[in-house]
Every structure is written in C-alpha cells, then in structure tokens.
Amino acid sequence: MTVKTLKDLLDEGVTGRHVLVRSDFNVPLNDAGEITDPGRIDASLPTIKALVDGGARVVLMAHLGRPKGEVNPKFSLAPVAEALSERLDQYVALAGDVVGEDAHERANGLNDGDVMLIENVRFDPRETSKDEEQRKEFATQLASLTGDNGAFVSDGFGVVHRAQTSVYDVAKLLPHYAGQLVNKEISTLAKVAENPDKPYVVVLGGSKVSDKLGVIKALAPKTDALIIGGGMCYTFLAAQGHNVQKSLLQEDMIDTCKQLMETYGDAIVLPVDLIAASEFDKNAESKVVDLDGIPEGWMSLDIGPKSVELFEERLSSAKTIFWNGPMGVFEFEKFAAGTKGVAEAMIKATANGAFSVVGGGDSAASVRTLGLDEDGFSHISTGGGASLEFLEGKKLPGVAVLEA
Ligand code: ADP
Ligand code: MG
C-alpha cells in the first residue's frame, strides 16, 4: 500500500495551505438538538490539531444524519461547530452553505491555523449521487475551496466504505493523505482481519441480519465462536423452529440462517434464554423466558441471564474479540443487562490479555451510555459499516482511492 499519511503532508509543510479534511461528525442528537455522544468528534481532533499546529488553513467537511439532498436545519452542523470550538479552544466558523458563496468567502478569509466547517455535505444531492458526472462536478466545487496548492485529508473512517463525493471523488482532484484516525483504525483492524490470535470470538448483535450476513459468512470460517444476540438472533431462533412472537424477524432470511447453521454448526452460538417484553417500550412489562416461552403477542428485547453466562464463558478464554451490535434494546434500562453483561465479559477478557475491538455506532455508544470503561477495550472503532466491510475483506473505496 502506498498511501501517504498526514505525517507526509506535515513533512511537506502545510503553513499557509488550505487543507480540506473529510471528518466523521455523524453524532447522535437528542430531540433538543444536543449531541448525546461526542465520541466521533473527539476521535477527529488529533488530525485537526496537527494541521492547526502546522499552520494550515483547515476546511472541514462532514455529513450529519440523512437530510436526503435537501437543506434541513434539523441536520445542520451547528452543534458540531460549537463542540469543535470548545474542544479546540478556538472559534470554528460554520459556513451558511456547502459550496456556495459563504463557504468560498470564509475559506478565502482563513488565516494560518484557522479552522472552519462547511455545512452538511448531504444537503447537496450530488454527495450521494450515483451519477459520476454529478459527483465530479460537486467534487470540483469542494476542491476549489482550497485555492492553489491545496490538499485533501481523508479522516472520516465511518464513511470510507462509501464511494461518495466528499470521501472518494474529491480525493482524485487534490493531493491526498490518510488522516490519523483513518490510519489508526486501519492498522488496528488489520490485526484482527489478518492474523487474529486464537481463540477468536466474534459477537454480533444489532437490528438486521441482512446488514450483517456478509460479515457472518466471511467470519464464520475464521472464528472459534460466532456469538449472535440482539435483534438479529430471532431470525436464527425462528430458523431453529422457535416461535419468536413479535420479536424482530426477517422472514426472507430464515432459509439463509438455516444454511449458515448447517454449514458452521457449533461455531454459531445463540442465546439460550431471553427477556420478553409486553411491548416495545421502556416501561414494558418484562420477564425472563426460555426460547419457546415468549408469551403470545409479546416480543424479546434482550438476551437472558443464562445466555449472558454462556457468552461470558466463551469470551473468557478468547485471545481476539470483535464486537458489533448490542445484545438488546440497551437504550431502555430494563433491556440493557444483556449488552452490559457481555461488554463486561469482554472487558474482563481484555484485562486477561485478549485484543478486543468494538465496531459500530450503537455498540460504541452503548459502552459509554452504560457507564462502562472505554479503556477496558483495546480499540473502539468509530466506524460500524466500515469496520465490518474491512473485516469481511472488502476493498474500502475511500481507502483505495488514497492508494493512487
Ligand atoms: P451498531 O450501530 O453497533 O452497528 P446496529 O445499528 O446494527 O448496531 O443495531 C443497534 C440497534 O439494535 C440498537 O438501537 C438496539 O436497540 C437494536 N436492538 C438490539 N436488540 C434488539 C431487539 N431484541 N429488538 C429490537 N431492536 C434491538
Ligand atoms: Mg447503528
């Protein structure tokens, strides 16, 4: 791999140069528009600070949520600009547009060491367009924010699996470098992908089987145990003939799950008990049940205590652990015990020498919101889809483009 990194750019010298940085500021917001988990912003700071210290004129770009190509104040990066200003201890201006007059004027007006942010790149439909010409046109406008002698730093690890304009096309127009976060994520995940110490235990949860089928197929042959919990386990349980009642179920995936269990047999580890809930609500009535015990019309929102024990046991001897996807609806206190128990088991295994990686936005958020020690894991990835695709062995377009 011949990817130039931020260090190369700093060695070349950045004083007075405009550097366009793609960061991942896609943070969760509450109804009041406040950031509930600033993890991704914090993870982006080292690259930004290094550029500021080098005297660059930093133009940041990122997306937030899914505004679907339209300007929508609900998805403005204003809270991010504020959080950045606080953390960098310097004013970070937010342009009133993406690549319009205001963005250009502000970019022109930057002094050495200044930092600005353009508005949500997904306010522009060309960001995610399938039409290459449209993306190229948008990329040209983004690149023009840097004037002469500009550079592009790719640091949004959470989006490098997407061939979108601000991630992919813009890299073709400017000298390009991998930022510190992208670099660190890739070198860490490579350890898990290429030569994991055994036993290698993967824990998958979250909502959709179809999203994670690729990773199940790719990892099952490599792992000693593939533990499946969360919303996706019910399709597997249904495939075993259990009545999962109103639990999350992807009927069109039942056959695929059957085949996976036939092929990988004992490697796939499923829950042995569940927490049933009367409805999808934080105050729902709840009880511990066995796999056939979900009351009629109820649903399961977490794995049960015996499952936590079983998963703990498998994790206790692991030397490499990868975790993606919560074990239950951890956002509701009543249904957080499964996720918490399994996460604690991983922290324990890590203390005993295992190398553990957490990937996935909600999984990473669960570690923090459940009050667990982030440092208890070897690495918490900022990318969900990106880390999964990397482990599947897929080429990430946003990384591949940096190699050229
Ligand atoms: P990640 O972001 O870590 O990749 P996902 O986005 O795949 O994880 O899934 C996270 C979501 O899955 C959480 O919001 C959680 O509430 C939901 N979830 C987990 N278990 C269940 C369940 N049993 N029923 C419904 N939703 C669930
Ligand atoms: Mg998620």
Side-chain angles (χ1 to χ4, degrees):
M1 224 169 58
T2 53
V3 173
K4 284 194 182 174
T5 65
L6 180 68
K7 191 179 170 297
D8 298 312
L9 174 60
L10 295 170
D11 287 348
E12 280 169 33
V14 287
T15 311
R17 289 172 72 182
H18 280 77
V19 180
L20 185 61
V21 183
R22 177 50 157 111
S23 297
D24 178 6
F25 298 143
N26 191 26
V27 287
L29 301 176
N30 62 17
D31 292 339
E34 295 156 348
I35 297 167
T36 53
D37 178 25
R40 285 176 161 169
I41 296 177
D42 291 331
S44 306
L45 296 176
T47 290
I48 302 170
K49 280 184 181 156
L51 288 167
V52 167
D53 290 346
R57 304 173 177 199
V58 183
V59 181
L60 302 172
M61 59 179 170
H63 78 281
L64 180 65
R66 294 172 189 264
K68 303 203 167 130
E70 280 169 29
V71 176
N72 180 342
K74 213 179 107 192
F75 298 111
S76 167
L77 285 169
V80 172
E82 203 178 304
L84 283 168
S85 300
E86 260 170 41
R87 286 166 169 74
L88 294 169
D89 207 14
Q90 73 181 78
Y91 177 60
V92 176
L94 173 68
D97 47 31
V98 184
V99 282
E101 220 171 285
D102 194 48
H104 277 93
E105 260 170 37
R106 285 179 188 277
N108 284 337
L110 290 176
N111 290 311
D112 297 357
D114 281 354
V115 180
M116 68 171 279
L117 179 60
I118 60 173
E119 254 303 0
N120 192 336
V121 287
R122 289 197 190 163
F123 282 179
D124 194 306
R126 295 171 298 178
E127 167 68 2
T128 56
S129 173
K130 295 272 176 279
D131 180 338
E132 239 176 86
E133 282 308 307
Q134 283 188 11
R135 291 208 315 269
K136 199 169 160 191
E137 180 193 76
F138 185 37
T140 306
Q141 292 169 359
L142 288 167
S144 75
L145 291 169
T146 65
D148 298 331
N149 203 17
F152 170 64
V153 172
S154 176
D155 208 33
F157 180 70
V159 284
V160 288
H161 60 313
R162 305 274 185 225
Q164 295 172 347
T165 308
S166 65
V167 180
Y168 180 78
D169 302 81
V170 80
K172 295 184 174 174
L173 302 179
L174 292 169
H176 40 260
Y177 307 83
Q180 206 162 307
L181 178 62
V182 160
N183 215 13
K184 182 175 103 187
E185 291 268 15
I186 290 191
S187 54
T188 310
L189 289 167
K191 274 202 221 174
V192 177
E194 282 153 26
N195 221 341
D197 284 341
K198 299 267 199 169
Y200 176 23
V201 179
V202 171
V203 180
L204 294 176
S207 32
K208 270 195 176 165
V209 188
S210 52
D211 280 358
K212 301 191 179 167
L213 214 55
V215 80
I216 296 176
K217 281 187 186 154
L219 294 185
K222 296 186 186 172
T223 59
D224 299 282
L226 189 76
I227 294 173
I228 299 179
M232 60 191 271
C233 75
Y234 305 97
T235 306
F236 283 89
L237 294 175
Q240 286 184 333
H242 299 292
N243 186 345
V244 300
Q245 297 289 347
K246 292 232 152 61
S247 310
L248 268 191
L249 179 65
Q250 273 189 285
E251 280 191 59
D252 55 333
M253 289 287 148
I254 290 180
D255 280 341
T256 312
C257 289
K258 261 187 205 155
Q259 279 165 17
L260 282 169
M261 288 187 288
E262 272 164 28
T263 313
Y264 298 110
D266 293 346
I268 296 182
V269 184
L270 291 164
V272 289
D273 62 348
L274 306 165
I275 312 276
S278 56
E279 58 184 319
F280 191 86
D281 189 273
K282 69 177 193 319
N283 298 316
E285 208 184 313
S286 68
K287 60 178 174 185
V288 179
V289 296
D290 64 29
L291 298 180
D292 284 309
I294 305 174
E296 204 183 327
W298 285 36
M299 63 192 70
S300 169
L301 294 184
D302 197 8
I303 58 170
K306 282 195 205 129
S307 310
V308 173
E309 241 173 76
L310 170 71
F311 294 178
E312 239 169 27
E313 190 192 305
R314 302 306 295 261
L315 286 161
S316 64
S317 59
K319 282 282 161 276
T320 306
I321 296 169
F322 178 74
W323 173 35
N324 171 279
M327 295 291 100
V329 183
F330 72 93
E331 296 92 337
F332 301 159
E333 213 185 323
K334 270 190 155 174
F335 306 104
T339 303
K340 196 166 183 194
V342 170
E344 278 167 348
M346 294 184 213
I347 292 174
K348 214 165 157 190
T350 312
N352 287 331
F355 186 74
S356 61
V357 174
V358 184
D362 294 295
S363 313
S366 77
V367 170
R368 291 183 280 263
T369 56
L370 297 175
L372 298 164
D373 181 12
E374 284 180 79
D375 296 330
F377 296 90
S378 310
H379 178 66
I380 298 187
S381 174
T382 55
S387 61
L388 287 175
E389 290 194 15
F390 188 87
L391 289 193
E392 278 172 53
K394 282 192 190 158
K395 197 105 189 134
L396 307 177
V399 176
V401 76
L402 300 177
E403 288 170 10

